[in-house]
């Protein structure tokens, strides 16, 4: 490095940025001198185990009467785009003691952008911080000053402080400055009345100041007051609002050479540091999920404190120029990059070390090409040991699974033995499970034939799994009654033909006991990472079912079944939703829950012959007292930033809601405001049972709306809403549009992928053609029997002797009569008719097939 040069190191996206400030070569005859701010992007090459330069950039500044210097650099958020960019603060000092400061942003193209500049009549020396905006904050004469690209001028905070120990973001408060100031004693207290030790402890206090809201935060939520005198630097690891109270986790280094862990304002652990005068602390999370704290000392030494059961020093180094934390080797976790103080006139990054105190260990002083160092051998041995441990762990898991399978088999044998014993006591014939149900293959060519003495109902019941139902539950949501049946995974019947019926268990002569309801099937993934709701699609506008050929109950019962399409993996819940108000007229209601299904068989002509079955699931009871007491109400409460509703409550809310999905794309800005809008303005909290879905607690019409926000990348995401009606949807969208970035594209998504819908369309067209063909042949066969003839068709002219009829007058009259009858029969055969019931049945089948095809075409359009 040439004399007069300066350099700063910064990590950004796994790369090392080296900023160097040097004077350009002076050209004869030129009046001005130029100072160049150069940047070099260095990336670690895992093959050569060295840092190589990827690209570089230069920013030139006129410096004829200036002394230029790099003050500090950091990575901050650009408020215009929400993207984190490297930020550099440069000082240019004139001879008349006027100091000019430039704040520069570095883009991915290595182009520098001047964010803003400001002038001062003094130099920045104490507690200089860069934070989001970008913004600059400093302390001067025990006062706090700051400037940002939004303010455009230097502002002073109404606080006095002796030091700044941390600057960052805190939930619901924005940018917060943590500092130490002189304690304000009560008016009736005299400072002379305190002893020397009391003044040392209580003479200063720790506090927080929110810049945006100009709000003071009490220091006791961070640490006890007695620690404020000895703290030199702080890092806030975690902050959250729980039950309207701020909860903080932080680490602090002290002048007493200690590192202390504080949780909610109380000390939870302490570690003695190996060197004196600690000045800063920063965290890192390694590949083994270990939390490390890097402590820098004024002497240039570094130590790493590891937090497991307790705080303890894991490693330490001396003569360190800089320490950076990032994913330098691309492993997906943090590593430490230690840049050591090298000899003069040597290359930058010539002496370094990359480590995570575990598997990763690279050093510049190791010759990887010719020698096999002990460190690499130890690392290889460590990797082999880990592989062996993983294999042993997998073998142990396999043994556990085999034991669990053996226990399930023993339980199955015990249950089957109990059933056989019950059948024996009740003098019933016990039917053993078939070999197919047990997963067995016969070694002989025998064929199992069920006994002919069994009734039709017993034969049908044997084909239905006895333990298909895992749980029956009910909930009251608004003006709707929700009844759910959770099916076991062994329930192998086709879910496209499963529905529920509610039948009142009382004798009502004036009304029908069957309750009209809408059926939905909700599938829960075992990891509870998402909810897939399948219900009736919105009918396309071109065509609607207008044939009133059957009762309204039949139409409402059959139409939802055509829309249910859910795959067979995972647990499923069939849900029936009905209006609550008609049921409350009876004060007390007992309903029988019936599950209807079809077992389909494929025929040679690709048509399906369905066999309907009905299974009794149990009874539900409903009364005005239970509803008034909130026995079946949905309970969605906040608890430690989570919504504590049960899985049945979540399903009930989703069942009465309408689902809408929107694709949000922003070409110029990131979509970080959407998450802030959900957690802030909408007051949403994630479900404890499924974290991807969040519940809206905001008072008003939008309360109870469920959101699911999935980011494909920082500029594109999908927002899914489960809301009660369109009014709530429009209110949510209106609120969302106020926080979205400009030129943001919002598109409504229709459910179903294009490939799946195309396959469904082909099957629907095939079914429509086969329905028309089968209906035509059915008409031909049935019409033969439904034709009405005026005379006996057996008597025809060809059956009588024509010559004998023409010999007499009576014979001629009889011939004329037979001829007239045969002409009438020919006319009827050319214009056949059928009864109304047969025509209605054929027309309804064809119309339903066409309606299903039109619906799929509409969803594809």
């Amino acid at each position: 490095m040439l004399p007069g040069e300066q350099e700063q190191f910064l990590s950004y996206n796994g790369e090392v940025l080296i900023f160097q400030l040097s004077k350009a070569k002076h050209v004869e005859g030129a009046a001005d001198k130029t100072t160049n701010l150069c940047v070099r992007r260095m990336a670690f090459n895992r093959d050569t185990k060295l840092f190589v330069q990827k690209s570089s950039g230069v920013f030139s500044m006129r410096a004829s009467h200036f002394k230029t210097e790099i003050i500090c650099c950091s990575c901050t958020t650009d408020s215009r785009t929400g993207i984190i960019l490297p930020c550099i603060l440069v000082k240019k000092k004139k001879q008349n003691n006027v100091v000019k400061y430039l704040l520069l942003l570095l883009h991915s193209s290595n182009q520098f952008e001047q964010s803003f500049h400001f002038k001062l009549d003094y130099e920045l020396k104490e507690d200089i911080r860069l934070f989001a905006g970008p913004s600059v904050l400093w302390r001067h004469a025990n006062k706090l000053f700051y400037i940002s690209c939004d303010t455009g001028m230097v502002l002073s905070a109404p606080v006095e402080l002796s030091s700044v120990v941390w600057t960052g973001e805190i939930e619901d408060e924005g940018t917060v400055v943590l500092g130490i100031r002189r304690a304000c004693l009560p008016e009736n207290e005299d400072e002379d009345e305190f002893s020397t030790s009391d003044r040392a402890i209580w003479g200063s206090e720790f506090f927080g100041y929110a810049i945006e809201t100009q709000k003071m935060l009490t220091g006791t939520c961070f640490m006890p007051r007695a620690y404020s005198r000895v703290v030199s630097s702080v890092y806030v690891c975690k902050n959250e609002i729980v039950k309207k109270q701020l909860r903080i986790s932080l680490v602090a280094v002290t002048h007493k050479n200690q590192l202390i862990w504080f949780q909610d304002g109380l000390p939870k652990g302490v570690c003695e540091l190996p060197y004196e005068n600690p000045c800063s602390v920063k965290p890192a999370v390694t590949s083994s999920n270990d939390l490390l704290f890097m402590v820098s000392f004024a002497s240039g030494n570094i130590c790493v404190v590891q937090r497991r059961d307790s705080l303890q020093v894991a490693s330490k180094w001396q003569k360190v120029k800089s320490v950076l934390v990032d994913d330098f080797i691309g492993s997906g976790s943090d590593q430490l990059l230690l840049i050591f103080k090298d000899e003069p006139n040597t290359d930058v990054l010539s002496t370094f070390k990359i480590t995570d105190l575990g598997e990763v260990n690279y050093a510049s002083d190791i010759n990887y090409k010719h020698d096999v160092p002990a460190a690499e051998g130890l690392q290889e041995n460590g990797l082999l040991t880990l592989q062996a441990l993983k294999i042993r762990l997998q073998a142990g898991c396999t043994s556990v699974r085999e034991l669990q399978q053996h226990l399930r088999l023993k339980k199955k044998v015990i249950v089957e033995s109990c059933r056989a014993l019950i059948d024996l006591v009740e003098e019933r014939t016990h039917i053993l499970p078939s070999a197919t149900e047990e997963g067995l293959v016969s070694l002989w060519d025998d064929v199992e034939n069920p006994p002919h003495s069994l009734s039709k109902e017993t034969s049908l019941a044997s084909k239905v799994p006895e333990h298909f139902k895992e749980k029956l539950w009910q909930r009251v949501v608004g003006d709707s009654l929700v009844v759910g049946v959770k099916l076991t995974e062994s329930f192998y019947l086709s879910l496209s033909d499963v529905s529920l019926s509610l039948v009142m268990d009382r004798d009502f002569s004036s009304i029908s006991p069957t309750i009209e309801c809408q059926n939905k099937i909700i599938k829960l993934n075992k990891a509870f990472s998402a909810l897939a709701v399948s219900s009736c699609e919105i009918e396309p506008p071109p065509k609607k079912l207008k044939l009133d050929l059957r009762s309204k109950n039949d139409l409402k019962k059959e139409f939802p079944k055509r829309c249910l399409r859910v795959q067979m993996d995972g647990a499923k819940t069939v849900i029936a939703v009905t209006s609550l108000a008609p049921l409350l007229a009876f004060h007390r209601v007992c309903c029988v829950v019936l599950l209807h299904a079809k077992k389909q068989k494929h025929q040679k002509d690709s048509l399906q012959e369905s066999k309907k079955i009905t299974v009794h699931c149990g009874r539900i009871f409903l009364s005005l007292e239970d509803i008034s007491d909130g026995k079946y109400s949905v309970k969605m409460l906040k608890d430690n930033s989570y919504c504590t509703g049960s899985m049945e409550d979540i399903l009930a809310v989703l069942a009465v809601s309408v689902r809408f999905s929107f694709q949000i794309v922003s070409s110029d800005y990131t979509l970080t405001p959407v998450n802030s809008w959900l957690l802030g303005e909408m007051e949403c909290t994630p479900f404890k049972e499924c974290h991807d879905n969040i519940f809206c607690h905001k008072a008003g019409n939008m309360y109870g709306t469920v959101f699911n926000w999935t980011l494909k990348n920082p500029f594109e995401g999908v927002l899914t809403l489960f809301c009660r009606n369109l009014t709530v949807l429009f209110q949510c969208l209106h609120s969302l549009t106020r926080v979205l970035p400009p030129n943001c594209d919002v598109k409504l998504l229709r459910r179903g992928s294009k490939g799946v819908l195309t396959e469904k369309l082909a099957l629907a067209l095939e079914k429509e053609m086969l329905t028309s063909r089968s209906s035509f042949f059915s008409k031909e066969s049935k019409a033969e029997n439904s034709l009405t003839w005026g005379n006996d068709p057996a008597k025809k002219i060809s059956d009588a002797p024509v010559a004998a009829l023409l010999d007499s007058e009576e014979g001629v009259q009889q011939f004329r009569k037979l001829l007239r009858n045969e002409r009438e029969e020919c006319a009827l055969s050319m214009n056949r008719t059928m009864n109304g019931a047969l025509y209605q049945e054929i027309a309804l089948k064809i119309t339903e097939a066409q309606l299903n095809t039109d619906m799929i075409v509409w969803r594809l359009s």
Side-chain angles (χ1 to χ4, degrees):
M1 186 171 61
L2 297 177
E5 288 189 344
Q6 301 177 27
E7 62 181 8
Q8 293 275 353
F9 298 91
L10 183 65
S11 62
Y12 180 70
N13 289 342
E15 299 175 348
V16 178
L17 305 182
I18 304 175
F19 297 99
Q20 290 180 334
L21 196 62
S22 60
K23 294 182 179 180
K25 294 182 179 179
H26 180 64
V27 180
E28 294 184 1
D32 296 335
K33 297 181 180 179
T34 303
T35 300
N36 293 332
L37 175 61
C38 305
V39 60
R40 298 169 60 188
R41 292 181 182 266
M42 309 291 288
F44 184 72
N45 190 319
R46 300 188 66 173
D47 296 330
T48 61
K49 310 298 188 299
L50 297 174
F51 279 92
V52 295
Q53 179 175 326
K54 292 182 59 179
S55 59
S56 62
V58 178
F59 180 74
S60 300
M61 296 174 289
R62 295 176 58 187
S64 57
H65 304 290
F66 292 93
K67 180 182 178 182
T68 310
E69 182 182 349
I70 299 177
I71 302 300
C72 60
C73 58
S74 180
C75 292
T76 60
T77 302
D78 187 356
S79 59
R80 299 169 300 176
T81 61
I83 300 176
I84 298 177
L85 294 175
C87 185
I88 310 98
L89 181 63
V90 179
K91 179 183 74 173
K92 299 171 68 176
K93 183 180 179 181
K94 282 187 177 182
Q95 296 178 355
N96 56 0
N97 292 328
V98 176
V99 186
K100 182 179 180 180
Y101 292 92
L102 304 178
L103 191 66
L104 306 176
L105 293 175
L106 178 63
H107 295 277
S108 58
S109 59
N110 291 327
Q111 297 294 322
F112 287 89
E113 176 191 359
Q114 180 175 322
S115 180
F116 59 87
H117 69 276
F118 58 98
K119 295 181 180 180
L120 299 173
D121 56 358
Y122 58 88
E123 295 187 36
L124 302 183
K125 294 182 179 180
E126 299 175 322
D127 297 331
I128 306 169
R129 306 296 172 99
L130 304 180
F131 58 96
S135 305
V136 184
L137 178 143
W138 67 93
R139 182 177 60 88
H140 178 72
N142 288 338
K143 291 185 178 180
L144 188 66
F145 300 91
Y146 61 92
I147 183 174
S148 67
C149 58
D150 296 328
T151 61
M153 59 184 298
V154 177
L155 300 178
S156 175
V159 294
E160 291 188 359
L161 71 168
S162 58
S163 66
V164 175
V165 297
W166 182 78
T167 303
E169 300 286 330
I170 289 184
E171 186 175 352
D172 291 348
E173 301 295 345
T175 302
V176 173
V177 178
L178 300 184
I180 300 173
R181 65 180 178 181
R182 184 177 180 181
C184 298
L185 298 177
E187 296 180 357
N188 56 355
E189 297 287 347
D190 188 2
E191 186 175 356
D192 296 334
E193 296 180 0
F194 290 91
S195 63
T196 303
S197 59
D198 288 340
R199 282 198 302 269
I201 294 176
W202 304 105
S204 60
E205 64 178 351
F206 195 80
F207 76 102
Y209 175 74
I211 293 180
E212 286 86 352
T213 60
Q214 297 184 357
K215 176 183 175 182
M216 298 296 295
L217 303 179
T218 177
T220 55
C221 64
F222 297 95
M223 64 179 67
R225 184 173 178 177
Y227 288 88
S228 60
R229 178 177 171 269
V230 296
V231 169
S232 61
S233 181
V234 163
Y235 186 85
V236 176
C237 302
K238 182 180 180 181
N239 64 89
E240 60 181 351
I241 302 295
V242 179
K243 296 181 180 179
K244 298 183 179 181
Q245 290 186 353
L246 180 63
R247 304 188 65 178
I248 299 288
S249 298
L250 60 87
V251 290
V253 292
T254 69
H255 300 300
K256 301 294 184 180
N257 305 327
Q258 293 177 325
L259 184 139
I260 307 175
W261 173 269
F262 293 96
Q263 180 75 37
D264 299 331
L266 299 176
K268 297 296 183 180
V270 63
C271 176
E272 295 291 334
L273 299 177
Y275 306 111
E276 295 182 352
N277 299 325
C279 55
S280 66
V281 58
K282 65 175 71 172
V285 180
T286 63
S287 58
S288 57
N289 290 328
D290 288 338
L291 181 59
L292 306 179
F293 298 107
M294 280 66 63
V295 182
S296 302
F297 298 85
S299 59
N301 299 333
I302 299 291
C303 80
V304 176
V305 178
Q306 197 168 25
R307 180 178 179 266
R308 287 184 176 175
D309 297 333
S310 61
L311 296 173
Q312 54 185 348
V313 176
S315 187
K316 57 184 179 179
W317 300 272
Q318 295 180 346
K319 297 181 180 181
V320 178
K321 181 189 297 185
S322 178
V323 56
L324 304 176
V325 178
D326 210 326
D327 184 11
F328 299 102
I329 66 173
S331 63
S333 58
D334 291 339
Q335 303 96 41
L336 278 65
L337 172 61
L338 302 166
I339 304 174
F340 296 95
K341 296 178 180 179
D342 47 15
E343 297 296 330
N345 301 324
T346 57
D347 294 335
V348 180
L349 283 178
S350 59
T351 308
F352 67 90
K353 182 181 183 66
I354 299 177
T355 181
D356 65 351
L357 303 185
E359 300 179 7
V360 180
N361 187 20
Y362 297 103
S364 58
D365 56 350
I366 298 177
N367 190 350
Y368 291 94
K369 294 183 178 180
H370 306 290
D371 301 328
V372 180
E376 186 177 7
L378 291 175
Q379 182 176 351
E380 184 178 359
N381 292 336
L383 293 176
L384 294 176
T385 303
L386 286 176
Q387 292 177 359
L389 291 175
K390 289 179 181 178
I391 294 175
R392 290 184 60 184
L393 181 61
Q394 292 174 356
C397 293
T398 303
S399 300
V400 171
R401 285 194 295 268
E402 291 176 354
L403 288 175
Q404 291 176 344
Q405 185 178 2
H406 181 65
L407 290 176
R408 286 195 297 267
L409 181 60
K410 291 177 65 175
K411 182 179 179 181
K412 194 173 183 180
V413 171
I414 294 174
V415 171
E416 192 63 34
S417 301
C418 293
R419 291 176 184 170
L421 181 60
I422 294 173
D423 291 338
L424 179 63
V425 172
E426 297 181 356
E427 298 182 354
R428 292 185 304 185
T429 303
H430 180 68
I431 303 175
L432 293 173
S434 63
T436 304
E437 294 176 355
E438 295 295 327
L440 304 176
V441 179
S442 177
L443 298 177
W444 307 96
D445 295 333
D446 53 353
V447 179
E448 295 185 6
N449 294 318
H452 299 283
S453 60
L454 296 178
S455 62
K456 181 179 180 181
E457 290 78 7
T458 306
S459 177
L460 182 59
S462 64
K463 298 180 182 179
V464 180
E466 281 192 59
H467 299 287
F468 71 94
K469 175 178 68 71
E470 187 172 324
K471 190 176 184 180
L472 173 65
W473 53 269
Q474 64 189 96
R475 289 292 187 276
V476 174
V477 184
D479 193 29
S480 299
L481 172 65
V482 182
V483 180
V485 176
K486 185 177 181 181
L487 308 177
T488 58
E489 297 185 13
S490 60
F491 191 38
Y492 60 89
L493 299 176
S494 173
L495 285 180
S496 60
D497 293 316
V498 174
S499 62
L500 291 181
S501 291
L502 303 180
V503 182
M504 288 188 289
D505 194 11
R506 286 179 60 183
D507 185 14
F508 296 96
S509 58
S510 59
I511 62 173
S512 171
T514 304
I515 302 174
E516 295 183 3
C517 56
Q518 181 187 15
N519 279 275
K520 292 187 177 183
I521 290 182
I522 297 181
K523 170 191 162 187
L524 298 179
N525 292 337
K526 293 182 179 179
F528 298 109
S529 61
L531 291 175
V533 180
S534 175
S535 63
C536 297
E537 299 286 344
I538 302 174
E539 192 173 359
K543 291 186 180 182
K544 290 184 180 291
L545 189 63
K546 295 184 178 180
L547 294 178
D548 192 12
L549 306 180
R550 296 183 291 181
S551 66
K552 294 182 180 179
N553 295 343
D554 293 336
L555 289 178
K556 290 187 177 181
K557 182 177 67 174
E558 291 294 333
F559 181 70
K561 294 181 183 178
R562 297 194 303 269
C563 309
L564 299 178
R565 296 289 185 271
V566 176
Q567 306 209 352
M568 288 299 296
D569 53 339
K572 295 95 183 171
T573 299
V574 188
I575 293 179
V577 182
T578 186
S579 179
L580 181 64
L583 299 178
L584 297 180
F586 304 104
H587 188 63
R588 292 180 181 272
V589 178
C590 174
C591 295
V592 177
V593 182
L594 301 177
L595 185 139
H596 307 279
K598 290 182 181 180
K599 188 175 182 181
Q600 299 176 346
K601 296 180 180 179
H602 291 270
Q603 303 296 328
K604 293 181 180 180
D605 57 356
S606 298
L607 285 177
Q608 293 182 347
E609 181 184 11
S610 301
K611 190 172 186 179
K612 295 182 179 180
I613 62 172
T614 300
V615 184
H616 182 273
C617 299
R619 286 179 169 83
I620 61 170
F621 299 88
L622 195 66
S623 65
L624 282 173
E625 290 83 1
D626 294 339
I627 296 177
S628 301
D629 296 339
K631 182 177 180 180
Y632 303 113
S633 300
V634 173
K635 298 177 179 60
M636 298 291 184
L637 302 176
K638 283 185 178 181
D639 183 16
N640 293 332
S641 299
Y642 286 105
C643 188
T644 59
S646 64
M647 189 55 63
E648 288 75 19
D649 295 337
I650 299 174
L651 296 178
V653 171
L654 295 180
V656 300
S657 303
V658 186
R659 177 183 177 182
F660 298 94
S661 295
F662 297 91
Q663 182 186 30
I664 304 177
V665 179
S666 175
S667 58
D668 300 326
Y669 302 89
T670 58
L671 295 176
T672 52
V674 177
N675 193 50
S676 302
W677 171 73
L678 290 172
L679 300 179
E681 182 178 345
M682 301 305 292
E683 301 178 15
C684 294
T685 55
F687 288 114
K688 203 167 187 178
E689 298 291 340
C690 43
H691 296 175
D692 289 350
N693 297 272
I694 56 179
F695 184 83
C696 178
H697 293 275
K698 186 175 182 179
N701 292 337
M702 289 184 283
Y703 179 85
T705 305
V706 180
F707 297 89
N708 185 299
W709 171 239
T710 304
L711 269 176
K712 295 183 179 179
N713 55 63
F715 303 93
E716 180 182 358
V718 176
L719 180 65
T720 302
L721 298 88
F722 297 88
C723 48
R724 295 191 306 272
N725 48 51
L726 292 177
T727 302
V728 176
L729 172 66
F730 292 146
Q731 289 179 338
C732 294
L733 293 179
H734 177 69
S735 176
L736 175 62
T737 52
R738 291 184 295 182
V739 301
L740 287 177
N743 301 326
C744 193
D745 186 23
V746 181
K747 179 183 178 182
L748 174 65
L749 299 178
R750 290 173 178 168
R751 279 175 283 170
S753 62
K754 189 173 182 180
V756 175
L757 292 176
T758 304
E759 183 178 359
K760 289 183 178 180
L761 177 60
L763 295 175
L765 290 173
E766 180 185 6
K767 184 176 181 180
E768 182 179 340
M769 179 187 66
L770 294 174
T771 302
S772 302
R773 187 182 70 179
S774 62
S775 300
F776 173 79
F777 288 117
S778 175
K779 181 182 80 69
E780 288 291 331
S781 60
K782 294 182 180 180
E784 291 287 347
N785 301 326
S786 62
L787 291 175
T788 304
W789 301 93
N791 297 293
D792 186 5
K795 296 182 179 180
K796 296 183 180 180
I797 297 178
S798 59
D799 296 335
V802 179
L805 293 176
L806 296 178
D807 289 343
S808 59
E809 185 176 352
E810 293 180 0
V812 173
Q813 294 296 332
Q814 186 178 0
F815 179 81
R816 288 177 178 175
K817 185 177 180 180
L818 291 174
L819 181 61
R820 185 169 59 251
N821 291 339
E822 190 168 348
R823 287 178 178 177
E824 291 176 359
E825 291 173 0
C826 291
L828 289 174
S829 63
M830 296 300 294
N831 187 20
R832 294 181 178 179
T833 60
M834 66 179 68
N835 57 41
L838 179 60
Y839 175 78
Q840 288 180 351
E841 180 182 357
I842 295 175
L844 182 63
K845 287 183 179 180
I846 296 176
T847 304
E848 286 181 343
Q850 293 175 347
L851 186 65
N852 187 28
T853 305
D854 293 343
M855 184 178 296
I856 299 175
V857 171
W858 172 73
R859 292 171 62 189
L860 270 172
S861 61

